[in-house]
Amino acid sequence: MSEVAATGAPGRPGCFITFEGGEGAGKSTQIARLAAWLRAGADGRAEAREVVTTREPGGSPRAERIRSAVLSGVAKPYGPFAEALLFAAARLDHLSTLIRPSLARGAVVLCDRFSDSTRAYQGAAGGVEPETLAALERVVVGATRPDLTLILDLPAEIGLARARQRDRAAARGPDRFEAEALGFHQRLRAAFLAIAEAEPARCAVIDAQGTPDAVAQAIRAAVAERLPQLARGAADAA
Ligand code: T5A
């Protein structure tokens, strides 16, 4: 077995890390930073570490088409359960075409949102029964559960302000979920914290209020603690 293999769950060579949290928490920013850190750790090794960054909804051409539809709000009239089914359909394709093949060849997969977002957005905030979503998760995700989930936590008002500032700079309006009322986003925050409390072995809560550098440092520390074999080369290179 190579030095960079067997970083995640037993039986699969790769390692699956998801980023979760409310709107504007800094997930995209931090995925790029963690990917760069992990890739830098591969420098000088006999065998380079492959890092794949991806996102949900989306991550594969078919899933990106579902993303465009759902975030445009076209499915909203069908209700949160129908939206959960669309996110699940996108996830099914994303898992089979990108995530599982990447893990099978030993890559580290960093994914911006995954099934905890369905639990929080369509479940806790949207009102779909947790048992229903758990059944959907079982059939869609199966054994491909994340090795580590980093939950970027900050008050909803701060995340929404960041997202709005970014949207203004890009001359675009809020998407389907950004447009929801503050109470919806506060329920999301509580839901992500409840997931972390229920599954402490998988989840690490990261304070996302600091500077991008401070948040990146906290994420590296969590990776080094939870997945030491993954962080070893990267920590040496930092
Ligand atoms: N969804 C998704 C569901 O409802 N169910 C599901 O099952 C799934 C998978 C996806 C939407 O779909 C929903 C959730 C979402 O509403 P999206 O566009 O991918 O839509 O939205 P988000 O995942 O929320 O991503 P965002 O792009 O809005 O936020 P990020 O990625 O968390 O934040 P980021 O890095 O883009 O940063 C936002 C802004 O803040 C700045 C950045 O420069 C940027 O301008 N920033 C900071 N500013 C100050 N301090 C820091 N530490 C900062 N970090 C970043």
Side-chain angles (χ1 to χ4, degrees), residues 23 25-29 67 87 91 113 118 121-122 166 210:
E23 305 291 324
K27 299 178 300 300
S28 313
T29 304
R67 174 189 175 92
F87 284 116
R91 186 163 299 137
R113 298 195 180 281
T118 311
Y121 279 76
Q122 284 66 53
R166 181 205 49 204

Side-chain angles (χ1 to χ4, degrees), residues 106-117:
V108 179
V109 176
L110 306 181
C111 189
D112 188 341
R113 298 195 180 281
F114 194 61
S115 47
D116 293 318
S117 283

Side-chain angles (χ1 to χ4, degrees), residues 13 20-21 24 34 45 47 57 73 77 102 106 118 122 134 143 163-164 176 233:
E20 299 278 6
L34 183 62
R45 284 163 172 249
E47 191 179 344
S102 303
T118 311
Q122 284 66 53
R164 283 181 191 136
R176 153 77 182 91

